[in-house]
Amino acid sequence: MKKRIALIVFGILLAVSVFLLIKYIIFSHNYATSNAVFVKTDSLTNLSFKIPGKIENIYVKEGDSVKKGKLLAKLDTKDLEIQKNGLINQINALKQKIQASIIQKDKLSKDIDENINLINTQIKKLDKLIEAKKYEIKAKESKLQKLANDYKRFSRLYKNRKISYEKYENVKTAFFALQNEINADKKILESMNEDKNALFIKLNIAENNKKEVIRLAKLTDSMKSQLRALNDKLSFVNQHIKESFIYAPFNGEIAKKFENPDEVVNSGSKILSIVNPEDLYVLVLLEETKLKGIKKGNYAKIHIDATGKDYNGYVNKILPASAATFALVPRDISSGEFTKLAQRFYVRIKFKKIPDDVLVGMSGEVEIATFHF
C-alpha cells in the first residue's frame, strides 16, 4: 500500500515537473526575459540661465507639478533694468536731436539751389547794367569836358562883351546840368555796386547755408549711427533681461533643485531639472540571442520592483547598436585573441498607459513576446 502511494506521489511529481518543463519551454520559445530594466525618459531636462548672476528667487520646489510657460526662477535684474532705462533715455534724447537737425536741415535746404541760381542771375544782370552805366558816365564826362572848354571860352567872350548874356547862360546851364547829371549817374552806379555787394552777401549766406545743410546731413547720419548702436545695445540688454528668467519648457514635474536664492551662478550652471511624467519608457538590455522574433509593437509585461506591480507595454524600437559599441574602452581583437561573448542590445518599451506610481530610475523585470498578437 505504501509502495503504491509512493508511486502515485512520484507520478504526480513527475507529471507536474513535465508540465512545468513544457510550460517553461513554451514560455522560453514565445517570450524573451530580462532583469536589466530601467525606467527612463527623454524629457529629463536641466534648466539653466544663459548669463551669470545672482539668483533672486526660485518659485518651485522638488516634486512640484508645473504647466508649460510657468515662471520657475529669476536672476536679480536691478542693474540690467537701470542700464535699460539709461539707454532708453539716451535713445529718446538722441531721437529729439536727430529730429531737430532734420527740421533745421530741411528749413535751410528749402529752395537753396534755386536761390543761389537766382542770385547769380541777378548779379550777372546787374554787372551788365553797371557796365552800361560806366560807359554812359564816361561818354557824358567826355561831353562835359567839351562843355567845360566852351564854358571857359564863353565866359571870356561874355566878359569882353563879345557875346550876349543869353548865349553865355545857355552854355553855363548846359555845363552844370550835365555835371549834375553825371553826379546823379555816379550815385546810381554807387547804389548799383552796393546792390551787387548785397547780392554777394546773400550769395555767401546761401553758399554757407548749403555747406551747413551738408554738415547737418553728415551730423544726422552720425547721430543715426549712434542711435543704431544704442538700439543694438538696448536689444542686447533686453535679451539679457529675458535670459534672466527660467520658464517651464513643457508640462512636467520638478525632479531636482540644484541651487537656492541669493546664490551667484555662472551661465549654464544647472538650476533645476524638470521631467515630463507622461514621457516615461522602459529601457531593456537584451542579449542578442533573445532578439529573434522581437519586433516593434510586440507585447511586453513590465514588472517594477519598487511598486511590486505589473504593467502592460509594447516594443517601441530596437536600437541599432549594441551596448558595447559605446564602451569607453572597446575590446581589442587585433592580437588574435578573441572570446566570443553574447552582445546586449537596447530595446525601448513604452507603457500602454502611463502609471502614476512609476518614477524615472526605477528598475524591474520584463517579459517580451516574440510574436505579434
Side-chain angles (χ1 to χ4, degrees), residues 264-320:
V264 177
V265 295
N266 294 321
S267 60
S269 296
K270 291 188 289 187
I271 308 300
L272 296 166
S273 183
I274 185 173
V275 64
N276 182 0
E278 298 298 319
D279 191 36
L280 296 180
Y281 65 89
V282 171
L283 191 63
V284 179
L285 271 173
L286 201 64
E287 292 89 346
E288 59 185 320
T289 54
K290 296 181 179 181
L291 287 176
K292 185 178 180 180
I294 294 180
K295 296 179 181 179
K296 184 177 179 179
N298 282 14
Y299 170 77
K301 184 173 76 171
I302 306 160
H303 177 80
I304 301 298
D305 294 337
T307 65
K309 297 179 182 178
D310 295 335
Y311 306 90
N312 293 324
Y314 60 92
V315 175
N316 176 247
K317 63 177 65 174
I318 301 171
L319 300 188

Side-chain angles (χ1 to χ4, degrees), residues 49 51-59 73-80 243-245 259-267 271:
F49 295 107
I51 60 171
K54 179 181 178 182
I55 299 175
E56 181 178 292
N57 205 347
I58 296 178
Y59 301 96
K74 176 184 180 297
L75 289 177
D76 186 348
T77 59
K78 292 186 183 68
D79 291 340
L80 288 173
E243 291 170 350
S244 298
F245 296 82
E259 303 290 349
N260 295 302
D262 295 328
E263 292 181 357
V264 177
V265 295
N266 294 321
S267 60
I271 308 300

Side-chain angles (χ1 to χ4, degrees), residues 191-368:
S191 176
M192 292 171 70
N193 282 320
E194 289 176 355
D195 290 342
K196 182 180 178 180
N197 289 334
L199 286 174
F200 272 117
I201 291 172
K202 287 183 178 180
L203 181 62
N204 189 48
I205 292 173
E207 292 288 354
N208 287 335
N209 285 343
K210 190 172 184 178
K211 291 178 182 178
E212 181 64 11
V213 167
I214 295 172
R215 188 191 72 82
L216 288 172
K218 291 181 178 179
L219 178 63
T220 301
D221 289 341
S222 175
M223 288 191 292
K224 285 181 178 179
S225 295
Q226 294 178 38
L227 182 62
R228 284 193 293 271
L230 287 174
N231 279 322
D232 289 343
K233 195 171 182 180
L234 179 61
S235 297
F236 185 73
V237 172
N238 281 331
Q239 183 64 27
H240 271 19
I241 292 174
K242 183 179 178 181
E243 291 170 350
S244 298
F245 296 82
I246 293 178
Y247 296 93
F250 47 77
N251 295 340
E253 294 180 0
I254 302 302
K256 180 71 175 175
K257 185 173 75 168
F258 297 96
E259 303 290 349
N260 295 302
D262 295 328
E263 292 181 357
V264 177
V265 295
N266 294 321
S267 60
S269 296
K270 291 188 289 187
I271 308 300
L272 296 166
S273 183
I274 185 173
V275 64
N276 182 0
E278 298 298 319
D279 191 36
L280 296 180
Y281 65 89
V282 171
L283 191 63
V284 179
L285 271 173
L286 201 64
E287 292 89 346
E288 59 185 320
T289 54
K290 296 181 179 181
L291 287 176
K292 185 178 180 180
I294 294 180
K295 296 179 181 179
K296 184 177 179 179
N298 282 14
Y299 170 77
K301 184 173 76 171
I302 306 160
H303 177 80
I304 301 298
D305 294 337
T307 65
K309 297 179 182 178
D310 295 335
Y311 306 90
N312 293 324
Y314 60 92
V315 175
N316 176 247
K317 63 177 65 174
I318 301 171
L319 300 188
S322 70
T325 305
F326 306 100
L328 292 177
V329 183
R331 295 178 65 195
D332 182 10
I333 59 174
S334 60
S335 62
E337 294 181 7
F338 175 71
T339 302
K340 188 173 182 180
L341 297 174
Q343 298 298 307
R344 304 175 101 190
F345 285 80
Y346 288 109
V347 178
R348 182 178 290 199
I349 296 175
K350 285 277 191 178
F351 289 98
K352 285 192 174 182
K353 182 180 179 182
I354 301 296
D356 296 330
D357 51 356
V358 175
L359 305 177
V360 176
M362 288 182 174
S363 60
E365 299 172 356
V366 71
E367 297 173 1
I368 306 172

Side-chain angles (χ1 to χ4, degrees), residues 114-129:
E114 185 177 340
N115 288 335
I116 289 174
N117 292 333
L118 179 61
I119 292 170
N120 282 323
T121 301
Q122 290 175 340
I123 290 173
K124 289 178 182 179
K125 184 177 180 181
L126 196 55
D127 279 338
K128 291 180 180 179
L129 293 174

Side-chain angles (χ1 to χ4, degrees), residues 14-224:
L14 181 62
V16 170
S17 299
V18 170
F19 172 77
L20 291 176
L21 178 63
I22 294 171
K23 184 178 180 181
Y24 173 75
I25 292 171
I26 294 172
F27 178 84
S28 298
H29 180 72
N30 292 320
Y31 289 90
T33 61
S34 175
N35 59 2
V37 173
F38 307 95
V39 179
K40 299 279 188 178
T41 177
D42 289 335
S43 67
L44 182 63
T45 303
N46 293 323
L47 304 177
S48 61
F49 295 107
K50 293 183 179 180
I51 60 171
K54 179 181 178 182
I55 299 175
E56 181 178 292
N57 205 347
I58 296 178
Y59 301 96
V60 290
K61 301 185 295 295
E62 291 177 353
D64 284 356
S65 295
V66 295
K67 295 290 186 181
K68 181 179 179 180
K70 176 182 173 60
L71 178 61
L72 305 180
K74 176 184 180 297
L75 289 177
D76 186 348
T77 59
K78 292 186 183 68
D79 291 340
L80 288 173
E81 292 292 345
I82 291 172
Q83 191 176 354
K84 176 182 176 180
N85 291 332
L87 285 171
I88 290 174
N89 290 335
Q90 290 182 55
I91 288 170
N92 290 336
L94 192 56
K95 282 181 178 179
Q96 291 178 358
K97 287 183 179 180
I98 291 172
Q99 188 61 29
S101 178
I102 291 173
I103 291 172
Q104 186 179 1
K105 179 177 72 69
D106 291 344
K107 184 178 179 181
L108 288 174
S109 62
K110 187 178 180 181
D111 302 329
I112 191 169
D113 290 329
E114 185 177 340
N115 288 335
I116 289 174
N117 292 333
L118 179 61
I119 292 170
N120 282 323
T121 301
Q122 290 175 340
I123 290 173
K124 289 178 182 179
K125 184 177 180 181
L126 196 55
D127 279 338
K128 291 180 180 179
L129 293 174
I130 289 172
E131 196 65 27
K133 182 59 72 175
K134 285 180 179 179
Y135 280 120
E136 186 180 347
I137 291 172
K138 188 174 182 180
K140 287 181 179 180
E141 286 178 339
S142 297
K143 187 178 179 180
L144 181 65
Q145 186 63 41
K146 183 180 178 182
L147 281 174
N149 293 332
D150 289 344
Y151 175 59
K152 290 178 181 179
R153 185 167 58 83
F154 274 56
S155 294
R156 289 195 304 272
L157 291 173
Y158 176 69
K159 286 181 180 179
N160 294 328
R161 305 285 183 178
K162 291 183 178 182
I163 60 172
S164 63
Y165 176 76
E166 184 178 354
K167 287 185 179 181
Y168 165 72
E169 188 64 27
N170 288 338
V171 173
K172 179 183 177 182
T173 301
F175 172 74
F176 283 106
L178 185 57
Q179 190 179 51
N180 290 334
E181 188 177 336
I182 289 171
N183 289 333
D185 284 344
K186 285 183 176 179
K187 288 184 178 180
I188 291 172
L189 181 61
E190 184 180 347
S191 176
M192 292 171 70
N193 282 320
E194 289 176 355
D195 290 342
K196 182 180 178 180
N197 289 334
L199 286 174
F200 272 117
I201 291 172
K202 287 183 178 180
L203 181 62
N204 189 48
I205 292 173
E207 292 288 354
N208 287 335
N209 285 343
K210 190 172 184 178
K211 291 178 182 178
E212 181 64 11
V213 167
I214 295 172
R215 188 191 72 82
L216 288 172
K218 291 181 178 179
L219 178 63
T220 301
D221 289 341
S222 175
M223 288 191 292
K224 285 181 178 179

